[in-house]
Amino acid sequence: MTLTQKRILILFIIIVIATILGRFAVRAVMNLLLGGTMFGGNFL
């Protein structure tokens, strides 16, 4: 694998992780604002 291919692969992995964490963070903030549970369901 060339250096360029490695850079593209690493960049792609970072983009995927950032997308997942970004969506998770938005969901957490919305749950705090709306008073919901983080993962759905009733823990009590």
Side-chain angles (χ1 to χ4, degrees), residues 2 4 7-10 15-18 21-22 24-26 29-32 34-36 38-39 42-44:
T2 64
T4 306
R7 284 182 179 175
I8 291 172
L9 183 64
I10 290 169
I15 289 171
V16 170
I17 291 171
L21 288 178
F24 189 75
V26 169
V29 170
M30 291 301 287
N31 270 315
L32 284 173
L34 298 172
M38 188 62 192
F39 302 104
N42 192 355
F43 291 120
L44 296 178

